[in-house]
Amino acid sequence: MASKVIQAYYDDDDVLMHAVKKVKAARHHIEEVYCPFPVHGLDKAMGLAPTRIAITSFMYGCLGLTVAIVMMNYIMIQDWPQDIGGKPSFSYIENMPAFVPVMFEMTVFFAAHLMVITFYLRSRLWPFKKAENPDPRSTDDHFIMEIELHGDEAALTDLLRETGAVEINRVEK
């Protein structure tokens, strides 16, 4: 069964923020808001949970640091120890100051690259995926708020007109 949504179009981000607050106060569920640029505070106004992506970034950085330590210990101490500049080649701890730049770079490398992959997978963005924006104007100069229809369509339409919607459409999803 197809669900019905109401799409309200706005041409100003301040009007959109005011509309989101009024719609949430009227206890309607906002499915999605499509914006041509990030709108500060929109996630809080919609009642979205804070992101946990920073936690994954920290874990990826720890993984990179661990890989760097294990890699340098194996390569420089166990597998092929060399006397470089008179430094002892039998102890990782004594050589650690020379390894700090490599540890830092591997930490940043793992955190950055794995975060990009995580973001794309979490957002369901992969190569050759078709765009999901409902209207090309949402990438230029219009903001679109999608509200799932559960009940009186006329009352919801009137509420959206009061909030300053420039266009209102009913769409089958």
Side-chain angles (χ1 to χ4, degrees):
M1 180 177 157
S3 63
K4 298 172 186 155
V5 294
I6 299 287
Q7 292 178 342
Y9 291 72
Y10 296 90
D11 56 2
D12 185 21
D13 57 334
D14 292 329
V15 175
L16 172 75
M17 282 294 291
H18 178 69
V20 166
K21 291 175 184 175
K22 279 188 104 169
V23 168
K24 289 302 278 184
R27 299 195 181 269
H28 292 286
H29 177 67
I30 300 173
E31 286 291 320
E32 187 67 63
V33 176
Y34 299 93
C35 301
F37 55 84
V39 178
H40 179 70
L42 185 61
D43 53 343
K44 289 191 192 312
M46 288 178 61
L48 299 176
T51 181
R52 295 183 306 258
I53 206 155
I55 297 168
T56 60
S57 178
F58 177 75
M59 291 189 303
Y60 294 150
C62 290
L63 176 67
L65 180 64
T66 304
V67 167
I69 290 170
V70 169
M71 177 187 72
M72 288 182 301
N73 185 46
Y74 177 73
I75 293 171
M76 299 298 290
I77 305 301
Q78 295 174 0
D79 185 43
W80 196 271
Q82 297 179 21
D83 184 6
I84 301 172
K87 295 178 184 167
S89 59
F90 55 83
S91 171
Y92 179 81
I93 297 297
E94 291 178 9
N95 287 325
M96 192 171 343
F99 296 154
V100 168
V102 176
M103 290 187 294
F104 172 76
E105 291 299 328
M106 289 292 284
T107 300
V108 172
F109 178 84
F110 270 67
H113 286 79
L114 292 176
M115 282 301 301
V116 169
I117 293 168
T118 300
F119 174 76
Y120 284 146
L121 291 175
R122 180 69 178 100
S123 301
R124 294 188 181 99
L125 295 172
W126 35 76
F128 312 112
K129 182 172 190 233
K130 187 175 181 255
E132 293 181 3
N133 58 333
D135 191 331
R137 293 180 290 173
S138 68
T139 62
D140 186 26
D141 61 348
H142 277 75
F143 303 87
I144 304 172
M145 179 173 26
E146 277 189 352
I147 305 161
E148 192 170 347
L149 189 56
H150 291 298
D152 191 11
E153 181 179 352
L156 179 58
T157 304
D158 291 340
L159 173 67
L160 293 172
R161 284 195 208 292
E162 288 174 16
T163 62
V166 294
E167 183 181 334
I168 300 173
N169 297 330
R170 180 178 177 207
V171 178
E172 299 280 334
K173 280 241 171 176

